[in-house]
Amino acid sequence: MAVKVLCFMILAIVLSEVTADYSKIQIKQLFSKVRSCVSPDADVIERVMYNRNVVKDKETLLYFECASEKMGWLNAERQFQPQLLSDFFAQNFDRAAIESTVNACSSSLPGESLGEQLYNFHQCFFSKFEIKRN
């Protein structure tokens, strides 16, 4: 069974192409918190985490909402808190690059629902930052 991990949102306005991978600690944190957001046979976690075939469907939008809540990236009013996401990813990635990308991608979150806003953030982020899978 393929390793399933989270995330959707990751970051960095970079002048050159940046490729990095998640740390084992980040993967463990993601798995332990967001696994309950999807059915056991779903591959949405891995698809979102590595930006592979991420589609804008109901399952994915609900996943974005659930995972962001479980990871603590939403405040009490269910608004996305980009600094908290930056803090998580700064464990393994360049903080300045992450914060720059997160700030650029979160300055305007279009979408009719929270899931759609987070999906749009994810698309913005991955247009600027690449996560590789070993």
Side-chain angles (χ1 to χ4, degrees), residues 44-110:
V44 69
I45 297 171
E46 185 176 53
R47 287 188 295 112
V48 166
M49 184 172 178
Y50 294 103
N51 194 35
R52 296 198 180 120
N53 303 315
V54 178
V55 294
K56 190 176 178 179
D57 62 7
K58 184 177 180 178
E59 176 187 43
T60 303
L61 297 181
L62 290 173
Y63 170 75
F64 276 119
E65 288 187 41
C66 179
S68 294
E69 183 176 354
K70 300 278 187 187
M71 292 300 295
W73 298 333
L74 303 178
N75 65 15
E77 291 79 36
R78 296 187 46 83
Q79 296 169 326
F80 179 54
Q81 302 299 293
Q83 183 57 47
L84 300 176
L85 178 78
S86 293
D87 292 345
F88 174 79
F89 287 104
Q91 298 173 44
N92 198 46
F93 301 99
D94 178 70
R95 179 175 287 279
I98 287 172
E99 288 179 352
S100 176
T101 301
V102 168
N103 290 338
C105 291
S106 63
S107 62
S108 173
L109 291 175

